[in-house]
Amino acid sequence: WMMKYYLPAAQSLARTKDGQDWLANRGIGMDIAHKFSIGFVQQAFGEHPWAKNGWILFPTLSADRQTVTCVKYRSIVAKKAVIDGKNVSGIRCVSSPSMFNLHQVDLSGDIWVCEGESDCLVLAQAGLQATSVASAAIAPSVDECARLSAAKRIFLAGDNDGAVGTAAMEALRQRLPKEKTHIIRWQNGCKDANDVLTNECGNDPEKFKLIIRGLSSEILVGVK
């Protein structure tokens, strides 16, 4: 898509309380949502049980920000559910998923790699250069790994959800320069960055920044 065709969805978020509430419940402010061109549509995917109930849109942009190369739709109803005995997903992608925000990050310093767009937003909101894989099942491409490898240091901050999320980050580490790639382990039973912000920090961004600073400092001290 050319960006001009996506803009109505991005502009719609500022007028839609349901979309803003969905983000606010995850500690994501409108400033960062606007920076990342997060959108909202009330209706999508006509055959879907939640088709008319609202969708948050996460766009992946080209390096010049003029083209939307992929859009992930996230239902504000739920991430997944079983309806009439069938598994229903509240996540849909238009076009092939690629790394979110990868072409916008500054690679002259540290970069944080997470799993999922919401986690990317909360890390960026904390002042970090962040990108995310679409899911643990979708490995970055060779070109994406080459771009990540240009960063000063790489912090892999994926989901702590058992074998899947942890294994995905371990596999990614093997494809990046090992001497400057470090894995973040979320503490106190938290699954991911958004979980830490919401459930451990009460959506307080300053508390979240302190935790992030502490986790990265512990790793770097250990490296020395």
Side-chain angles (χ1 to χ4, degrees):
W1 300 354
M2 292 302 293
M3 188 62 179
K4 64 180 180 180
Y5 298 118
Y6 175 80
L7 277 178
Q11 294 166 346
S12 176
L13 181 63
R15 304 188 298 269
T16 309
K17 185 177 184 300
D18 286 347
Q20 293 178 37
D21 287 348
W22 188 92
L23 293 169
N25 288 336
R26 288 156 179 78
I28 299 169
M30 285 300 293
D31 286 348
I32 202 72
H34 176 71
K35 180 179 179 180
F36 280 74
S37 300
I38 306 306
F40 180 87
V41 293
Q42 188 62 48
Q43 184 171 346
F45 310 111
E47 300 301 317
H48 197 284
W50 306 323
K52 299 180 180 180
N53 299 123
W55 299 78
I56 295 288
L57 275 57
F58 298 96
T60 300
L61 304 179
S62 59
D64 63 3
R65 301 184 64 88
Q66 297 305 304
T67 305
V68 179
T69 60
C70 176
V71 179
K72 180 184 278 189
Y73 286 69
R74 174 71 158 83
S75 169
I76 64 172
V77 174
K79 187 174 183 179
K80 58 184 177 181
V82 177
I83 300 177
D84 297 331
K86 296 180 179 179
N87 293 323
V88 175
S89 174
I91 298 175
R92 294 285 186 91
C93 275
V94 175
S95 189
S96 299
S98 54
M99 292 193 71
F100 180 68
N101 198 48
L102 180 60
H103 289 292
Q104 279 66 54
V105 290
D106 179 0
L107 296 172
S108 63
D110 297 338
I111 186 169
W112 287 62
V113 182
C114 55
E115 179 186 334
E117 295 78 11
S118 294
D119 291 336
C120 183
L121 292 182
V122 302
L123 290 169
Q125 189 169 252
L128 302 172
Q129 295 292 321
T131 181
S132 66
V133 297
S135 73
I138 302 174
S141 68
V142 172
D143 288 344
E144 288 171 335
C145 283
R147 182 163 174 79
L148 290 174
S149 297
K152 178 181 177 181
R153 289 178 300 211
I154 309 158
F155 293 95
L156 302 182
D159 289 7
N160 287 357
D161 55 352
V164 178
T166 302
M169 288 295 133
E170 291 286 359
L172 179 54
R173 184 172 185 266
Q174 299 305 312
R175 301 175 62 197
L176 299 171
K178 293 182 178 60
E179 69 280 1
K180 61 178 181 179
T181 303
H182 313 285
I183 290 186
I184 295 289
R185 305 291 187 193
W186 303 114
Q187 305 298 312
N188 302 324
C190 290
K191 176 190 173 185
D192 53 31
N194 213 159
D195 191 15
V196 173
L197 174 63
T198 299
N199 295 314
E200 191 168 348
C201 302
N203 282 340
D204 184 330
E206 295 306 316
K207 289 182 180 178
F208 181 70
K209 288 178 185 179
L210 288 174
I211 288 177
I212 290 294
R213 192 177 301 132
L215 287 172
S216 58
S217 295
E218 286 176 12
I219 285 176
L220 296 178
V221 167
V223 170
K224 292 177 182 179

